[in-house]
Amino acid sequence: MSVRLATDVLIIGSGAAGLTTALSLPTSMNILVISKGKIGTGSTAWAQGGVAGVLDEVDSVDQHVQDTVNAGAGLCDPAAVRHTIERSSSAIHWLIEQGVPFTRVDGSDVEFHLTREGGHSQRRIIHAADATGLAISETLIKRVRQAPNIQILENHVAIDLITTEKLGLVDQENRCVGAYILDTLTDQAVTIGARFTVLTSGGASKVYLYTSNPDGATGDGIAMAWRAGCRIVNMEFNQFHPTCLFHPKAKSFLISEALRGEGGLLKLPNGERFMQHFDERAELAPRDIVARAIDHEMKRLGVDNLYLDISHKSPDFIKSHFPTIYRRCLEYGFDMTKEPLPVVPAAHYTCGGIRIDAQGATDLAGLFAAGECTYTGLHGANRLASNSLLECIVYAQAAAEHIQVSSATQFDPEKLPLWDESRVGDSDEKIVITHNWDELRRFMWDYVGIVRTDKRLERAKRRVGLLKQEISEYYSNFRVTADLLELRNLVVVAELIIESALSRKESRGLHFTRSHPELSDQAQITVLSPKKA
């Protein structure tokens, strides 16, 4: 039996972008936040480094803009970069006002400690030790739980957006009027009507076999927006974090870039450093350069991992600056105060996504988006470290501000058709989902990973076409489950990544292909439109 609900604002995603949107809207609005699992288990809580912003008098907006543009390899939107960074100080001070316990300089009650990460010319990363995302997540969750106008639905997975076009109302502007949601604890479909819907569902790094992301990073918002008619931009630019802990039980555990910012050195199995041969900035080069260098050396030497060493620093320094990483590594048998850590690259961040404007608006009326599921123009062909949490806050606040002044006729939720399961049954072959999930993520890693070729991409295109057809048939015949919904979204995202990568006949930023190793004279973003698909 289906359930029907109605709200002013439906927010799909409960990370920094989603919770900031909710808290930035007036208390006069009824807000419903959908959390895929238990709230606080998404990517935000996993972020270690911090939030980049202009907070020190020796720094400037111009310097931060220049560092961002340099990392973006010629594809950043200058207006979007400046728009975001000019709001960095106010965004961070908003987080401080919410109560986020950022680390202060020793002995100071006022001054915050700022660290530096790869690609930054100044110390401008405000952080909460080495667990900034967790501190932000816990603080915002606490504030949201105190808000009388905000309701949280945990363990609910979005099925699809509801649009007037899908409802057959072709005599009016196509508009998002809510979404179908699956309660994963009861397997009950929920129909939610909303004046405004906001996608803050995170990235899509689970499309790859090895990733630093939690299990929920399956590109749901990107896939749903695509199916609803929104343009998707720059999906070929997938950031691979250079340093995830290499251990069979250390699932997706990231070794923060701040470790290199504070003097950590990358080494070969014989103890030699190598980054100076790839970039004059050595360990402080942008992530794409470091990830490719590690990938190159691993393949050249035929080894499973390389090493990150900060043991030359004092134990007290390491334990005070990286308490979380230190404790977690000890759990896996590594004492980073005495020995180097084994590391490998892993898919980390989706730089492309749903095209939005400065107000967080998508191509579809009534639909907004913020965070990693979006393309704002800030990241270009590569994201500068710690700009992601900043982008979440700035665009979530912008979307909330725009929603407040937007007019939307309340679509009568009683007119929304309930989710129809009358023509489907329970699957007796769920192995199909497991097999397709594994196959998709493995060929994406092998053929559409850190280093690409046209031949590999064409091979991936053929395979994703077959998988998409098989998954579509399965979706049409059986009751939806969380695993099926995620797989359905992942195959859409995989196809978008492959199409984007095939269309770029050059190597730029995070997209490196041996078939076209040179940089093109013309820097253009990749825009895919579902109307042309």
Side-chain angles (χ1 to χ4, degrees), residues 456-501:
R456 290 178 185 175
L457 292 173
E458 289 290 353
R459 198 172 288 141
K461 183 178 179 178
R462 289 193 294 273
R463 278 162 173 71
V464 83
L466 291 171
L467 272 186
K468 187 179 179 183
Q469 183 178 349
E470 195 168 300
I471 293 164
S472 177
E473 184 179 332
Y474 193 98
Y475 178 82
S476 300
N477 289 289
F478 299 110
R479 285 193 177 90
V480 295
T481 63
D483 286 344
L484 174 57
L485 293 173
E486 289 184 333
L487 180 60
R488 179 181 183 233
N489 291 330
L490 274 179
V491 78
V492 170
V493 167
E495 188 173 49
L496 292 171
I497 293 171
I498 294 164
E499 289 294 340
S500 298

mmCIF file of all heavy atoms in Angstrom, residues 456-501:
data_model
loop_
_atom_site.group_PDB
_atom_site.id
_atom_site.type_symbol
_atom_site.label_atom_id
_atom_site.label_comp_id
_atom_site.label_asym_id
_atom_site.label_seq_id
_atom_site.Cartn_x
_atom_site.Cartn_y
_atom_site.Cartn_z
ATOM 1 N N ARG A 456 39.490 1.624 -25.114
ATOM 2 C CA ARG A 456 38.908 1.243 -23.821
ATOM 3 C C ARG A 456 37.515 1.853 -23.659
ATOM 4 O O ARG A 456 36.585 1.199 -23.160
ATOM 5 C CB ARG A 456 39.803 1.720 -22.674
ATOM 6 C CG ARG A 456 41.124 0.982 -22.558
ATOM 7 C CD ARG A 456 41.957 1.566 -21.435
ATOM 8 N NE ARG A 456 43.285 0.966 -21.360
ATOM 9 C CZ ARG A 456 44.247 1.364 -20.538
ATOM 10 N NH1 ARG A 456 44.016 2.389 -19.718
ATOM 11 N NH2 ARG A 456 45.415 0.772 -20.524
ATOM 12 N N LEU A 457 37.365 3.098 -24.065
ATOM 13 C CA LEU A 457 36.079 3.781 -23.919
ATOM 14 C C LEU A 457 35.010 3.156 -24.814
ATOM 15 O O LEU A 457 33.844 3.012 -24.409
ATOM 16 C CB LEU A 457 36.228 5.269 -24.228
ATOM 17 C CG LEU A 457 37.066 6.078 -23.225
ATOM 18 C CD1 LEU A 457 37.269 7.506 -23.735
ATOM 19 C CD2 LEU A 457 36.397 6.094 -21.850
ATOM 20 N N GLU A 458 35.374 2.779 -26.030
ATOM 21 C CA GLU A 458 34.428 2.128 -26.929
ATOM 22 C C GLU A 458 33.998 0.765 -26.373
ATOM 23 O O GLU A 458 32.841 0.367 -26.488
ATOM 24 C CB GLU A 458 35.053 1.948 -28.324
ATOM 25 C CG GLU A 458 35.226 3.245 -29.108
ATOM 26 C CD GLU A 458 33.895 3.845 -29.568
ATOM 27 O OE1 GLU A 458 32.840 3.190 -29.395
ATOM 28 O OE2 GLU A 458 33.903 4.975 -30.075
ATOM 29 N N ARG A 459 34.959 0.084 -25.778
ATOM 30 C CA ARG A 459 34.652 -1.208 -25.156
ATOM 31 C C ARG A 459 33.656 -1.010 -24.009
ATOM 32 O O ARG A 459 32.697 -1.765 -23.856
ATOM 33 C CB ARG A 459 35.961 -1.814 -24.643
ATOM 34 C CG ARG A 459 35.910 -3.299 -24.363
ATOM 35 C CD ARG A 459 37.296 -3.832 -24.046
ATOM 36 N NE ARG A 459 38.147 -3.879 -25.211
ATOM 37 C CZ ARG A 459 39.452 -3.577 -25.224
ATOM 38 N NH1 ARG A 459 40.050 -3.187 -24.126
ATOM 39 N NH2 ARG A 459 40.150 -3.671 -26.327
ATOM 40 N N ALA A 460 33.891 0.022 -23.217
ATOM 41 C CA ALA A 460 32.993 0.327 -22.097
ATOM 42 C C ALA A 460 31.609 0.728 -22.607
ATOM 43 O O ALA A 460 30.587 0.355 -22.008
ATOM 44 C CB ALA A 460 33.586 1.446 -21.248
ATOM 45 N N LYS A 461 31.571 1.465 -23.711
ATOM 46 C CA LYS A 461 30.283 1.911 -24.270
ATOM 47 C C LYS A 461 29.425 0.715 -24.685
ATOM 48 O O LYS A 461 28.208 0.694 -24.443
ATOM 49 C CB LYS A 461 30.525 2.828 -25.465
ATOM 50 C CG LYS A 461 29.253 3.397 -26.071
ATOM 51 C CD LYS A 461 29.560 4.334 -27.226
ATOM 52 C CE LYS A 461 28.268 4.884 -27.834
ATOM 53 N NZ LYS A 461 28.559 5.834 -28.938
ATOM 54 N N ARG A 462 30.053 -0.273 -25.308
ATOM 55 C CA ARG A 462 29.296 -1.465 -25.728
ATOM 56 C C ARG A 462 28.752 -2.211 -24.509
ATOM 57 O O ARG A 462 27.599 -2.643 -24.494
ATOM 58 C CB ARG A 462 30.191 -2.388 -26.561
ATOM 59 C CG ARG A 462 30.519 -1.848 -27.948
ATOM 60 C CD ARG A 462 31.122 -2.912 -28.827
ATOM 61 N NE ARG A 462 32.415 -3.355 -28.355
ATOM 62 C CZ ARG A 462 33.576 -2.782 -28.675
ATOM 63 N NH1 ARG A 462 33.586 -1.720 -29.478
ATOM 64 N NH2 ARG A 462 34.717 -3.264 -28.215
ATOM 65 N N ARG A 463 29.578 -2.330 -23.493
ATOM 66 C CA ARG A 463 29.159 -3.076 -22.315
ATOM 67 C C ARG A 463 28.066 -2.342 -21.538
ATOM 68 O O ARG A 463 27.127 -2.957 -21.042
ATOM 69 C CB ARG A 463 30.365 -3.338 -21.403
ATOM 70 C CG ARG A 463 31.181 -4.534 -21.861
ATOM 71 C CD ARG A 463 32.584 -4.545 -21.270
ATOM 72 N NE ARG A 463 33.294 -5.772 -21.577
ATOM 73 C CZ ARG A 463 33.760 -6.107 -22.782
ATOM 74 N NH1 ARG A 463 33.549 -5.298 -23.816
ATOM 75 N NH2 ARG A 463 34.417 -7.239 -22.973
ATOM 76 N N VAL A 464 28.190 -1.026 -21.437
ATOM 77 C CA VAL A 464 27.183 -0.280 -20.671
ATOM 78 C C VAL A 464 25.839 -0.299 -21.395
ATOM 79 O O VAL A 464 24.777 -0.304 -20.757
ATOM 80 C CB VAL A 464 27.654 1.167 -20.383
ATOM 81 C CG1 VAL A 464 27.390 2.117 -21.548
ATOM 82 C CG2 VAL A 464 26.970 1.711 -19.132
ATOM 83 N N GLY A 465 25.870 -0.351 -22.731
ATOM 84 C CA GLY A 465 24.624 -0.435 -23.490
ATOM 85 C C GLY A 465 23.872 -1.716 -23.208
ATOM 86 O O GLY A 465 22.651 -1.718 -23.010
ATOM 87 N N LEU A 466 24.608 -2.829 -23.147
ATOM 88 C CA LEU A 466 23.985 -4.125 -22.847
ATOM 89 C C LEU A 466 23.450 -4.162 -21.415
ATOM 90 O O LEU A 466 22.347 -4.642 -21.165
ATOM 91 C CB LEU A 466 25.004 -5.246 -23.057
ATOM 92 C CG LEU A 466 25.428 -5.507 -24.504
ATOM 93 C CD1 LEU A 466 26.603 -6.478 -24.552
ATOM 94 C CD2 LEU A 466 24.249 -6.051 -25.312
ATOM 95 N N LEU A 467 24.247 -3.633 -20.493
ATOM 96 C CA LEU A 467 23.820 -3.630 -19.094
ATOM 97 C C LEU A 467 22.589 -2.758 -18.891
ATOM 98 O O LEU A 467 21.671 -3.124 -18.157
ATOM 99 C CB LEU A 467 24.954 -3.111 -18.200
ATOM 100 C CG LEU A 467 25.972 -4.123 -17.686
ATOM 101 C CD1 LEU A 467 26.917 -3.450 -16.703
ATOM 102 C CD2 LEU A 467 25.279 -5.291 -16.999
ATOM 103 N N LYS A 468 22.569 -1.608 -19.545
ATOM 104 C CA LYS A 468 21.435 -0.692 -19.411
ATOM 105 C C LYS A 468 20.137 -1.365 -19.869
ATOM 106 O O LYS A 468 19.091 -1.244 -19.220
ATOM 107 C CB LYS A 468 21.694 0.581 -20.222
ATOM 108 C CG LYS A 468 20.660 1.663 -20.009
ATOM 109 C CD LYS A 468 21.011 2.900 -20.825
ATOM 110 C CE LYS A 468 19.952 3.980 -20.637
ATOM 111 N NZ LYS A 468 20.245 5.178 -21.479
ATOM 112 N N GLN A 469 20.226 -2.069 -20.977
ATOM 113 C CA GLN A 469 19.058 -2.774 -21.513
ATOM 114 C C GLN A 469 18.579 -3.856 -20.537
ATOM 115 O O GLN A 469 17.386 -3.997 -20.263
ATOM 116 C CB GLN A 469 19.413 -3.395 -22.863
ATOM 117 C CG GLN A 469 18.256 -4.092 -23.557
ATOM 118 C CD GLN A 469 18.682 -4.649 -24.923
ATOM 119 O OE1 GLN A 469 19.759 -4.338 -25.424
ATOM 120 N NE2 GLN A 469 17.840 -5.467 -25.504
ATOM 121 N N GLU A 470 19.522 -4.599 -19.985
ATOM 122 C CA GLU A 470 19.188 -5.681 -19.061
ATOM 123 C C GLU A 470 18.576 -5.140 -17.765
ATOM 124 O O GLU A 470 17.591 -5.675 -17.253
ATOM 125 C CB GLU A 470 20.467 -6.475 -18.743
ATOM 126 C CG GLU A 470 20.218 -7.811 -18.087
ATOM 127 C CD GLU A 470 21.485 -8.657 -18.060
ATOM 128 O OE1 GLU A 470 22.019 -8.948 -19.141
ATOM 129 O OE2 GLU A 470 21.919 -9.001 -16.940
ATOM 130 N N ILE A 471 19.153 -4.047 -17.258
ATOM 131 C CA ILE A 471 18.657 -3.455 -16.010
ATOM 132 C C ILE A 471 17.280 -2.837 -16.224
ATOM 133 O O ILE A 471 16.396 -2.931 -15.362
ATOM 134 C CB ILE A 471 19.666 -2.409 -15.485
ATOM 135 C CG1 ILE A 471 20.958 -3.115 -15.055
ATOM 136 C CG2 ILE A 471 19.077 -1.611 -14.324
ATOM 137 C CD1 ILE A 471 22.146 -2.193 -14.897
ATOM 138 N N SER A 472 17.076 -2.222 -17.383
ATOM 139 C CA SER A 472 15.778 -1.620 -17.701
ATOM 140 C C SER A 472 14.686 -2.681 -17.738
ATOM 141 O O SER A 472 13.574 -2.485 -17.222
ATOM 142 C CB SER A 472 15.844 -0.897 -19.046
ATOM 143 O OG SER A 472 14.588 -0.368 -19.391
ATOM 144 N N GLU A 473 15.009 -3.817 -18.327
ATOM 145 C CA GLU A 473 14.044 -4.924 -18.398
ATOM 146 C C GLU A 473 13.723 -5.446 -17.000
ATOM 147 O O GLU A 473 12.564 -5.713 -16.661
ATOM 148 C CB GLU A 473 14.628 -6.045 -19.272
ATOM 149 C CG GLU A 473 13.681 -7.212 -19.487
ATOM 150 C CD GLU A 473 14.299 -8.281 -20.378
ATOM 151 O OE1 GLU A 473 15.156 -7.941 -21.216
ATOM 152 O OE2 GLU A 473 13.922 -9.456 -20.220
ATOM 153 N N TYR A 474 14.742 -5.561 -16.182
ATOM 154 C CA TYR A 474 14.569 -6.037 -14.809
ATOM 155 C C TYR A 474 13.693 -5.053 -14.027
ATOM 156 O O TYR A 474 12.774 -5.432 -13.299
ATOM 157 C CB TYR A 474 15.943 -6.175 -14.147
ATOM 158 C CG TYR A 474 15.948 -6.938 -12.842
ATOM 159 C CD1 TYR A 474 16.299 -8.276 -12.798
ATOM 160 C CD2 TYR A 474 15.623 -6.298 -11.647
ATOM 161 C CE1 TYR A 474 16.310 -8.972 -11.598
ATOM 162 C CE2 TYR A 474 15.634 -6.985 -10.443
ATOM 163 C CZ TYR A 474 15.980 -8.314 -10.423
ATOM 164 O OH TYR A 474 15.988 -9.007 -9.237
ATOM 165 N N TYR A 475 13.977 -3.751 -14.188
ATOM 166 C CA TYR A 475 13.235 -2.687 -13.494
ATOM 167 C C TYR A 475 11.751 -2.709 -13.870
ATOM 168 O O TYR A 475 10.884 -2.445 -13.037
ATOM 169 C CB TYR A 475 13.859 -1.333 -13.851
ATOM 170 C CG TYR A 475 13.162 -0.126 -13.240
ATOM 171 C CD1 TYR A 475 13.424 0.259 -11.927
ATOM 172 C CD2 TYR A 475 12.255 0.623 -13.979
ATOM 173 C CE1 TYR A 475 12.794 1.369 -11.371
ATOM 174 C CE2 TYR A 475 11.618 1.734 -13.434
ATOM 175 C CZ TYR A 475 11.904 2.098 -12.127
ATOM 176 O OH TYR A 475 11.276 3.184 -11.577
ATOM 177 N N SER A 476 11.477 -3.045 -15.125
ATOM 178 C CA SER A 476 10.097 -3.042 -15.618
ATOM 179 C C SER A 476 9.283 -4.224 -15.113
ATOM 180 O O SER A 476 8.047 -4.169 -15.114
ATOM 181 C CB SER A 476 10.085 -3.055 -17.153
ATOM 182 O OG SER A 476 10.745 -1.912 -17.664
ATOM 183 N N ASN A 477 9.956 -5.281 -14.684
ATOM 184 C CA ASN A 477 9.247 -6.505 -14.352
ATOM 185 C C ASN A 477 9.184 -6.868 -12.870
ATOM 186 O O ASN A 477 8.390 -7.719 -12.482
ATOM 187 C CB ASN A 477 9.869 -7.686 -15.111
ATOM 188 C CG ASN A 477 9.567 -7.625 -16.603
ATOM 189 O OD1 ASN A 477 8.432 -7.841 -17.011
ATOM 190 N ND2 ASN A 477 10.577 -7.317 -17.399
ATOM 191 N N PHE A 478 10.041 -6.197 -12.085
ATOM 192 C CA PHE A 478 10.091 -6.591 -10.678
ATOM 193 C C PHE A 478 9.936 -5.397 -9.745
ATOM 194 O O PHE A 478 10.196 -4.262 -10.130
ATOM 195 C CB PHE A 478 11.419 -7.307 -10.371
ATOM 196 C CG PHE A 478 11.603 -8.567 -11.161
ATOM 197 C CD1 PHE A 478 12.554 -8.637 -12.164
ATOM 198 C CD2 PHE A 478 10.815 -9.683 -10.917
ATOM 199 C CE1 PHE A 478 12.725 -9.790 -12.914
ATOM 200 C CE2 PHE A 478 10.970 -10.846 -11.659
ATOM 201 C CZ PHE A 478 11.922 -10.904 -12.664
ATOM 202 N N ARG A 479 9.501 -5.671 -8.523
ATOM 203 C CA ARG A 479 9.357 -4.613 -7.526
ATOM 204 C C ARG A 479 10.714 -3.969 -7.247
ATOM 205 O O ARG A 479 11.731 -4.651 -7.196
ATOM 206 C CB ARG A 479 8.770 -5.177 -6.229
ATOM 207 C CG ARG A 479 7.283 -5.460 -6.326
ATOM 208 C CD ARG A 479 6.668 -5.711 -4.943
ATOM 209 N NE ARG A 479 5.228 -5.903 -5.095
ATOM 210 C CZ ARG A 479 4.647 -7.071 -5.302
ATOM 211 N NH1 ARG A 479 5.402 -8.159 -5.389
ATOM 212 N NH2 ARG A 479 3.338 -7.164 -5.444
ATOM 213 N N VAL A 480 10.680 -2.656 -7.029
ATOM 214 C CA VAL A 480 11.938 -1.941 -6.816
ATOM 215 C C VAL A 480 12.497 -2.250 -5.432
ATOM 216 O O VAL A 480 11.756 -2.452 -4.467
ATOM 217 C CB VAL A 480 11.768 -0.417 -6.990
ATOM 218 C CG1 VAL A 480 11.406 -0.077 -8.412
ATOM 219 C CG2 VAL A 480 10.739 0.151 -6.019
ATOM 220 N N THR A 481 13.807 -2.300 -5.375
ATOM 221 C CA THR A 481 14.541 -2.417 -4.122
ATOM 222 C C THR A 481 15.611 -1.338 -4.125
ATOM 223 O O THR A 481 15.907 -0.755 -5.181
ATOM 224 C CB THR A 481 15.217 -3.783 -3.983
ATOM 225 O OG1 THR A 481 16.200 -3.909 -5.045
ATOM 226 C CG2 THR A 481 14.214 -4.924 -4.069
ATOM 227 N N ALA A 482 16.216 -1.075 -2.980
ATOM 228 C CA ALA A 482 17.267 -0.061 -2.907
ATOM 229 C C ALA A 482 18.421 -0.417 -3.843
ATOM 230 O O ALA A 482 18.955 0.440 -4.560
ATOM 231 C CB ALA A 482 17.759 0.083 -1.475
ATOM 232 N N ASP A 483 18.812 -1.695 -3.864
ATOM 233 C CA ASP A 483 19.929 -2.128 -4.724
ATOM 234 C C ASP A 483 19.602 -1.922 -6.203
ATOM 235 O O ASP A 483 20.454 -1.497 -6.984
ATOM 236 C CB ASP A 483 20.253 -3.600 -4.471
ATOM 237 C CG ASP A 483 20.969 -3.809 -3.154
ATOM 238 O OD1 ASP A 483 21.478 -2.819 -2.589
ATOM 239 O OD2 ASP A 483 21.013 -4.960 -2.676
ATOM 240 N N LEU A 484 18.375 -2.245 -6.586
ATOM 241 C CA LEU A 484 17.977 -2.080 -7.977
ATOM 242 C C LEU A 484 17.957 -0.601 -8.370
ATOM 243 O O LEU A 484 18.409 -0.230 -9.458
ATOM 244 C CB LEU A 484 16.596 -2.705 -8.219
ATOM 245 C CG LEU A 484 15.979 -2.481 -9.606
ATOM 246 C CD1 LEU A 484 16.895 -2.989 -10.704
ATOM 247 C CD2 LEU A 484 14.607 -3.153 -9.698
ATOM 248 N N LEU A 485 17.439 0.247 -7.501
ATOM 249 C CA LEU A 485 17.377 1.681 -7.789
ATOM 250 C C LEU A 485 18.781 2.262 -7.946
ATOM 251 O O LEU A 485 19.043 3.061 -8.850
ATOM 252 C CB LEU A 485 16.627 2.421 -6.680
ATOM 253 C CG LEU A 485 15.127 2.103 -6.563
ATOM 254 C CD1 LEU A 485 14.550 2.765 -5.323
ATOM 255 C CD2 LEU A 485 14.377 2.563 -7.813
ATOM 256 N N GLU A 486 19.696 1.856 -7.071
ATOM 257 C CA GLU A 486 21.074 2.354 -7.161
ATOM 258 C C GLU A 486 21.748 1.858 -8.436
ATOM 259 O O GLU A 486 22.458 2.618 -9.115
ATOM 260 C CB GLU A 486 21.871 1.915 -5.936
ATOM 261 C CG GLU A 486 21.453 2.646 -4.667
ATOM 262 C CD GLU A 486 22.306 2.272 -3.474
ATOM 263 O OE1 GLU A 486 22.854 1.145 -3.447
ATOM 264 O OE2 GLU A 486 22.428 3.110 -2.566
ATOM 265 N N LEU A 487 21.533 0.598 -8.778
ATOM 266 C CA LEU A 487 22.113 0.045 -10.004
ATOM 267 C C LEU A 487 21.555 0.754 -11.233
ATOM 268 O O LEU A 487 22.295 1.082 -12.173
ATOM 269 C CB LEU A 487 21.835 -1.461 -10.080
ATOM 270 C CG LEU A 487 22.372 -2.189 -11.316
ATOM 271 C CD1 LEU A 487 23.890 -2.064 -11.404
ATOM 272 C CD2 LEU A 487 21.951 -3.663 -11.285
ATOM 273 N N ARG A 488 20.247 1.003 -11.248
ATOM 274 C CA ARG A 488 19.608 1.712 -12.360
ATOM 275 C C ARG A 488 20.228 3.105 -12.526
ATOM 276 O O ARG A 488 20.469 3.562 -13.652
ATOM 277 C CB ARG A 488 18.112 1.821 -12.092
ATOM 278 C CG ARG A 488 17.322 2.571 -13.171
ATOM 279 C CD ARG A 488 15.866 2.634 -12.788
ATOM 280 N NE ARG A 488 15.057 3.286 -13.814
ATOM 281 C CZ ARG A 488 14.244 4.313 -13.582
ATOM 282 N NH1 ARG A 488 14.153 4.827 -12.358
ATOM 283 N NH2 ARG A 488 13.541 4.840 -14.551
ATOM 284 N N ASN A 489 20.496 3.778 -11.409
ATOM 285 C CA ASN A 489 21.097 5.107 -11.483
ATOM 286 C C ASN A 489 22.569 5.041 -11.886
ATOM 287 O O ASN A 489 23.050 5.868 -12.669
ATOM 288 C CB ASN A 489 20.954 5.819 -10.137
ATOM 289 C CG ASN A 489 19.506 6.175 -9.829
ATOM 290 O OD1 ASN A 489 18.710 6.411 -10.735
ATOM 291 N ND2 ASN A 489 19.159 6.206 -8.553
ATOM 292 N N LEU A 490 23.282 4.051 -11.364
ATOM 293 C CA LEU A 490 24.703 3.921 -11.694
ATOM 294 C C LEU A 490 24.936 3.671 -13.178
ATOM 295 O O LEU A 490 25.896 4.191 -13.760
ATOM 296 C CB LEU A 490 25.335 2.785 -10.884
ATOM 297 C CG LEU A 490 25.841 3.123 -9.483
ATOM 298 C CD1 LEU A 490 26.420 1.884 -8.822
ATOM 299 C CD2 LEU A 490 26.892 4.223 -9.520
ATOM 300 N N VAL A 491 24.079 2.877 -13.810
ATOM 301 C CA VAL A 491 24.285 2.580 -15.227
ATOM 302 C C VAL A 491 24.030 3.828 -16.076
ATOM 303 O O VAL A 491 24.693 4.050 -17.099
ATOM 304 C CB VAL A 491 23.426 1.376 -15.680
ATOM 305 C CG1 VAL A 491 21.974 1.759 -15.916
ATOM 306 C CG2 VAL A 491 24.017 0.728 -16.936
ATOM 307 N N VAL A 492 23.098 4.689 -15.632
ATOM 308 C CA VAL A 492 22.882 5.974 -16.319
ATOM 309 C C VAL A 492 24.118 6.856 -16.176
ATOM 310 O O VAL A 492 24.610 7.432 -17.148
ATOM 311 C CB VAL A 492 21.641 6.695 -15.754
ATOM 312 C CG1 VAL A 492 21.555 8.125 -16.286
ATOM 313 C CG2 VAL A 492 20.373 5.933 -16.104
ATOM 314 N N VAL A 493 24.631 6.935 -14.957
ATOM 315 C CA VAL A 493 25.813 7.756 -14.695
ATOM 316 C C VAL A 493 27.011 7.233 -15.483
ATOM 317 O O VAL A 493 27.777 8.009 -16.070
ATOM 318 C CB VAL A 493 26.122 7.776 -13.181
ATOM 319 C CG1 VAL A 493 27.507 8.355 -12.926
ATOM 320 C CG2 VAL A 493 25.078 8.587 -12.428
ATOM 321 N N ALA A 494 27.187 5.920 -15.505
ATOM 322 C CA ALA A 494 28.303 5.324 -16.253
ATOM 323 C C ALA A 494 28.226 5.707 -17.726
ATOM 324 O O ALA A 494 29.235 6.081 -18.343
ATOM 325 C CB ALA A 494 28.282 3.807 -16.098
ATOM 326 N N GLU A 495 27.030 5.626 -18.301
ATOM 327 C CA GLU A 495 26.860 5.987 -19.709
ATOM 328 C C GLU A 495 27.176 7.466 -19.935
ATOM 329 O O GLU A 495 27.815 7.825 -20.939
ATOM 330 C CB GLU A 495 25.431 5.675 -20.149
ATOM 331 C CG GLU A 495 25.205 5.825 -21.647
ATOM 332 C CD GLU A 495 23.837 5.336 -22.070
ATOM 333 O OE1 GLU A 495 22.830 5.721 -21.439
ATOM 334 O OE2 GLU A 495 23.769 4.563 -23.049
ATOM 335 N N LEU A 496 26.778 8.331 -19.020
ATOM 336 C CA LEU A 496 27.069 9.758 -19.141
ATOM 337 C C LEU A 496 28.570 10.024 -19.076
ATOM 338 O O LEU A 496 29.107 10.849 -19.821
ATOM 339 C CB LEU A 496 26.349 10.538 -18.036
ATOM 340 C CG LEU A 496 24.817 10.582 -18.111
ATOM 341 C CD1 LEU A 496 24.240 11.198 -16.842
ATOM 342 C CD2 LEU A 496 24.356 11.370 -19.333
ATOM 343 N N ILE A 497 29.261 9.312 -18.184
ATOM 344 C CA ILE A 497 30.718 9.466 -18.070
ATOM 345 C C ILE A 497 31.401 9.011 -19.355
ATOM 346 O O ILE A 497 32.284 9.696 -19.890
ATOM 347 C CB ILE A 497 31.255 8.656 -16.864
ATOM 348 C CG1 ILE A 497 30.756 9.256 -15.547
ATOM 349 C CG2 ILE A 497 32.790 8.626 -16.881
ATOM 350 C CD1 ILE A 497 31.068 8.397 -14.324
ATOM 351 N N ILE A 498 30.986 7.858 -19.876
ATOM 352 C CA ILE A 498 31.603 7.311 -21.094
ATOM 353 C C ILE A 498 31.356 8.231 -22.289
ATOM 354 O O ILE A 498 32.281 8.534 -23.052
ATOM 355 C CB ILE A 498 31.062 5.890 -21.374
ATOM 356 C CG1 ILE A 498 31.508 4.925 -20.263
ATOM 357 C CG2 ILE A 498 31.542 5.383 -22.736
ATOM 358 C CD1 ILE A 498 30.729 3.621 -20.226
ATOM 359 N N GLU A 499 30.116 8.694 -22.465
ATOM 360 C CA GLU A 499 29.795 9.600 -23.579
ATOM 361 C C GLU A 499 30.599 10.896 -23.485
ATOM 362 O O GLU A 499 31.106 11.405 -24.486
ATOM 363 C CB GLU A 499 28.294 9.911 -23.597
ATOM 364 C CG GLU A 499 27.415 8.746 -24.015
ATOM 365 C CD GLU A 499 27.618 8.335 -25.464
ATOM 366 O OE1 GLU A 499 28.146 9.140 -26.262
ATOM 367 O OE2 GLU A 499 27.263 7.189 -25.817
ATOM 368 N N SER A 500 30.711 11.421 -22.281
ATOM 369 C CA SER A 500 31.475 12.654 -22.083
ATOM 370 C C SER A 500 32.949 12.441 -22.391
ATOM 371 O O SER A 500 33.590 13.270 -23.054
ATOM 372 C CB SER A 500 31.304 13.155 -20.644
ATOM 373 O OG SER A 500 29.961 13.461 -20.366
ATOM 374 N N ALA A 501 33.494 11.326 -21.919
ATOM 375 C CA ALA A 501 34.910 11.029 -22.140
ATOM 376 C C ALA A 501 35.210 10.807 -23.623
ATOM 377 O O ALA A 501 36.245 11.251 -24.139
ATOM 378 C CB ALA A 501 35.316 9.798 -21.325
#
